[in-house]
Amino acid sequence: MSPSTQRSPQDPSARSEPPQGPEPGVAKGVRTAHLRAAGVTIDYREPGSARPGAGTVVDHVDLTLHKGDFVCIVGPSGCGKTTFLNAVAGFLPIAGGTLELDGRDIPGPGPDRAMVFQHASLLPWRSVLDNVTYGLELGKRVGRAEARERAGELLDLVGLSAAADRHPGQLSGGMQQRVNLARALAVDPEVLLLDEPFASIDAQTREVMQVELARICTERDVTALFVTHDITEAVFLGDRVCVFSPRPGRIVREVDVALPRPRETRLRKRPAFQELVETVSDVLHGAAAGEPAGANGGSV
């Protein structure tokens, strides 16, 4: 596992990380990439189309995540942000560039990555607890007793211990997404991929879930890549916000979010938070209008 640079306690973006020495051959203080996309291009060709680039969805995306990073992607509908996420998950091949986890190519789906989709898609005939153990059962990585113990711990983490024996149809939308999150975390992924997981729940529950997700990812030192249309959500959750251009999607700007953790709801009222929301909004609307942008991966 690649090390992360230790940050000073005064750094508001600091995360709780165990002290580690540098890897052999890596200079002290240098953070090595955990997840790295370099020049990633993803094509979708219409039947019969022979024009090069005619079906390009994602075009030369460069993005690096270090261990424990929480990075959000925003962009207009159809810009390729979910397509890029699916490629990281291993569901789609890339047409060009490199996509690596800890220096190894991503050839397809694997237990080192877990996806949380917009809809929970829980198995209605299984209890909440048994839905959380489902991925562990498929992978056959642990025994049944250990799987249930791990699922119980995660249900406690997401605040659903009392619902372990219920079935999905007895839960609200927000509760179902908590189960969905617990199910993804159960396989102990190195990278958590989230595709608008709160888009289908009401605004009040959504804010509660954002706080919970931020807390859980900080506590477990999860590396997360989160796709959303909601700029406020992206700023609240992310260490960085990557703004995609209209299709074919490129990262036109990365906006650093130097806000303290843990993140709480009252953070949204702070001027610094509002300024960051406005910055991301200006970049997003400028990209949609076709205004010139800085180099791919540039930051503000």
Side-chain angles (χ1 to χ4, degrees):
M1 205 61 74
S2 302
S4 299
T5 299
Q6 288 183 293
R7 304 172 186 167
S8 67
Q10 290 77 26
D11 185 345
S13 64
R15 288 175 171 270
S16 174
E17 298 174 351
Q20 302 179 54
E23 292 178 349
V26 178
K28 185 177 181 179
V30 175
R31 302 180 75 201
T32 56
H34 183 41
L35 175 68
R36 178 174 176 266
V40 167
T41 298
I42 305 171
D43 289 342
Y44 171 76
R45 294 195 183 281
E46 298 287 349
S49 174
R51 286 195 300 121
T56 300
V57 181
V58 173
D59 187 24
H60 289 87
V61 165
D62 296 328
L63 178 63
T64 298
L65 275 70
H66 301 99
K67 189 71 175 72
D69 280 353
F70 197 122
V71 174
C72 292
I73 297 175
V74 298
S77 295
C79 71
K81 53 189 184 295
T82 293
T83 298
F84 177 72
L85 197 72
N86 284 330
V88 175
F91 300 151
L92 294 174
I94 61 175
T98 58
L99 192 53
E100 300 174 339
L101 185 63
D102 289 329
R104 302 183 299 273
D105 287 339
I106 294 176
D112 49 12
R113 286 147 288 137
M115 179 79 92
V116 179
F117 296 98
Q118 180 174 342
H119 300 287
S121 301
L122 303 176
L123 301 176
W125 59 88
R126 294 178 70 112
S127 69
V128 165
L129 184 72
D130 288 339
N131 265 282
V132 177
T133 63
Y134 184 65
L136 293 171
E137 293 171 16
L138 289 178
K140 299 181 180 179
R141 298 166 64 187
V142 300
R144 178 173 172 79
E146 184 178 344
R148 291 177 70 83
E149 181 180 359
R150 185 182 301 183
E153 292 171 354
L154 287 166
L155 287 176
D156 184 52
L157 183 70
V158 300
L160 283 179
S161 293
D165 295 328
R166 297 184 191 175
H167 286 76
Q170 298 172 290
L171 306 181
S172 68
M175 293 170 74
Q176 289 185 23
Q177 279 297 59
R178 288 174 185 263
V179 178
N180 195 18
L181 177 59
R183 181 175 58 181
L185 291 171
V187 298
D188 197 22
E190 295 184 35
V191 180
L192 187 63
L193 306 170
L194 304 105
D195 186 15
E196 298 193 70
F198 308 143
S200 61
I201 57 180
D202 65 272
Q204 183 176 358
T205 303
R206 183 172 184 153
E207 289 192 359
V208 172
M209 289 297 298
Q210 290 165 4
V211 172
E212 287 298 295
L213 178 61
R215 175 185 63 81
I216 290 167
C217 287
T218 299
E219 286 183 5
R220 297 178 67 87
D221 197 26
V222 170
T223 304
L225 187 58
F226 188 105
V227 164
T228 180
H229 280 97
D230 189 324
I231 296 172
T232 300
E233 179 172 71
V235 172
F236 183 82
L237 289 171
D239 299 312
R240 286 177 284 149
V241 179
C242 298
V243 182
F244 264 46
S245 69
R247 183 172 174 173
R250 304 177 180 91
I251 297 178
V252 296
R253 198 72 59 87
E254 289 189 15
V255 179
D256 291 327
V257 182
L259 295 173
R261 293 187 185 274
R263 303 262 170 98
E264 298 179 356
T265 299
R266 62 175 178 269
L267 177 68
R268 307 173 203 271
K269 299 179 180 179
R270 295 185 181 179
F273 182 87
Q274 294 299 327
E275 288 173 10
L276 283 165
V277 170
E278 290 177 11
T279 296
V280 175
S281 180
D282 288 345
V283 174
L284 180 59
H285 294 151
E291 296 177 4
N296 181 25
S299 63
V300 294

